[in-house]
Amino acid sequence: METMRDLRARMKSIGQSLQMTKAMKLISTAKLRKARRQLSDAIPYFDSIKNAMADIAVNSNIAASTWFDRRERKPDKKIATIIISSDRGLAGGFNINAIRLAEEKCPEGSIVMTIGSVCKRYFMDKNYILLEDFASSRKVPTVYEARDIANFIMDQYSNERIDEFRVIYTRMISTVKLVPELFQLLPLEKKLFEKNDLIGRRYNCEPDEESAFAAMVPHYLKGVIYGCLVETFASEQAARMTAMDSAVKNAGDMLARIKLKYNRARQQAITQEVSEIVAGAAALT
């Protein structure tokens, strides 16, 4: 049976955990708002690039055909999948859901690129080929981080070391609905450009359409990767915020139960002391 000292120690420990989980929830909430705001500020720039690429892709198929080539004739076609996770846990099923989707889409022996130490540690212990790994920032991802990843992808694809790149990221539909998704980066998919609202508008390309399209592809990739990084980061914060909210409620309930047990034990101790005093006084008379 727990003594009053044991109960006080448990109450103190749970109280400290409660303060930590409340602080982590507030931090995740602030990071989530910043990430969503930062992404919304960058979207118009990358949408403009996509509109220009759509114009060239629709009106000059020859100029853009290189980037839509699926290289189906290659007997040893190599496909690499980028998997984005976080560098730490305490976020519910956020990381494991992305890893499960990766295992579904990528059989053992596949080529993977990891962003974040959680998925890196996981796939290093499995039968996968780790092409490259990038660190996952604990702050809101920047365009510069996306640029480095995009440049690496362009180099591998242009030199035909890798024939197809895909990315698995976590999309935040709402703060409680986080869905891991697979998106193809290279080769480009025509359907993403055919549904563009500004198809009827023509751009003047210098020195020619092929060169202009090739120059815009890295910026397009950078925008897509940046969006995936920020969306995953926001999803991580939402998952952690939800997990910490549950932890706060559970810790509060546990603290209330222990306080009740402590008060009962304290009342029992007081009653016993009063009974002993009364019995001692009665023995003296």
Side-chain angles (χ1 to χ4, degrees):
M1 182 177 178
E2 290 181 306
T3 64
M4 292 179 62
R5 179 180 294 179
D6 295 334
L7 292 172
R8 281 197 298 268
R10 287 186 63 191
M11 288 167 58
K12 182 179 179 182
S13 176
I14 294 172
Q16 291 173 345
S17 299
L18 187 60
Q19 290 180 345
M20 183 182 68
T21 51
K22 283 182 178 179
M24 292 182 66
K25 178 184 175 182
L26 293 174
I27 292 171
S28 295
T29 303
K31 286 183 176 180
L32 173 60
R33 291 175 181 171
K34 184 178 179 181
R36 300 299 291 177
R37 183 173 61 252
Q38 190 167 317
L39 180 60
S40 63
D41 291 341
I43 283 177
Y45 168 73
F46 294 112
D47 281 348
S48 298
I49 295 174
K50 185 179 178 181
N51 292 336
M53 292 175 65
D55 181 88
I56 297 175
V58 171
N59 295 288
S60 179
N61 289 329
I62 297 177
S65 61
T66 302
W67 302 100
F68 295 102
D69 180 16
R70 303 190 67 85
R71 303 178 181 177
E72 298 290 358
R73 296 179 180 178
K74 291 191 66 173
D76 56 343
K77 184 177 179 180
K78 296 181 180 180
I79 301 174
T81 305
I82 304 168
I83 307 160
I84 307 176
S85 72
S86 65
D87 272 342
R88 53 180 179 157
L90 298 177
F94 166 76
N95 288 307
I96 193 62
N97 290 336
I99 290 173
R100 283 175 180 168
L101 178 61
E103 288 184 318
E104 290 176 8
K105 301 297 182 180
C106 308
E108 289 193 359
S110 299
I111 302 172
V112 297
M113 282 175 57
T114 60
I115 303 176
S117 60
V118 173
C119 62
K120 176 185 175 181
R121 289 194 300 266
Y122 183 85
F123 286 101
M124 282 183 67
D125 293 335
K126 303 291 182 177
N127 186 25
Y128 287 89
I129 301 172
L130 185 60
L131 178 64
E132 184 59 270
D133 67 277
F134 293 88
S136 176
S137 177
R138 293 194 177 184
K139 298 180 181 178
V140 182
T142 65
V143 178
Y144 303 105
E145 294 171 340
R147 179 197 61 190
D148 294 339
I149 299 170
N151 289 342
F152 179 82
I153 290 173
M154 286 290 297
D155 178 69
Q156 296 290 316
Y157 184 81
S158 300
N159 293 302
E160 297 191 5
R161 298 190 187 99
I162 301 295
D163 302 301
E164 183 176 324
F165 276 99
R166 309 178 299 179
V167 60
I168 290 178
Y169 72 104
T170 304
R171 181 184 172 197
M172 189 180 76
I173 298 175
S174 68
T175 54
V176 294
K177 189 175 182 181
L178 310 173
V179 182
E181 292 188 353
L182 177 71
F183 182 83
Q184 182 168 312
L185 295 172
L186 287 174
L188 302 176
E189 293 187 306
K190 288 188 177 181
K191 63 182 180 180
L192 297 176
F193 300 94
E194 291 172 351
K195 297 180 181 180
N196 196 281
D197 295 334
L198 301 177
I199 288 301
R201 199 166 110 192
R202 289 289 291 160
Y203 290 82
N204 295 322
C205 301
E206 296 293 341
D208 55 68
E209 291 181 332
E210 185 174 1
S211 300
F213 193 91
M216 284 187 285
V217 170
H219 294 282
Y220 167 76
L221 286 177
K222 179 174 66 175
V224 173
I225 294 170
Y226 176 69
C228 292
L229 289 174
V230 176
E231 191 77 16
T232 302
F233 180 84
S235 299
E236 177 193 351
Q237 304 311 317
R240 185 166 291 112
M241 187 174 64
T242 303
M244 292 303 104
D245 184 56
S246 298
V248 168
K249 291 179 181 178
N250 292 336
D253 293 342
M254 188 180 298
L255 191 60
R257 291 195 299 269
I258 294 176
K259 280 184 178 180
L260 182 60
K261 289 177 65 176
Y262 176 79
N263 290 334
R264 286 176 177 172
R266 182 169 173 268
Q267 184 64 45
Q268 184 177 357
I270 293 172
T271 303
Q272 184 176 353
E273 290 179 3
V274 170
S275 299
E276 290 175 354
I277 292 172
V278 171
L284 293 176
T285 58

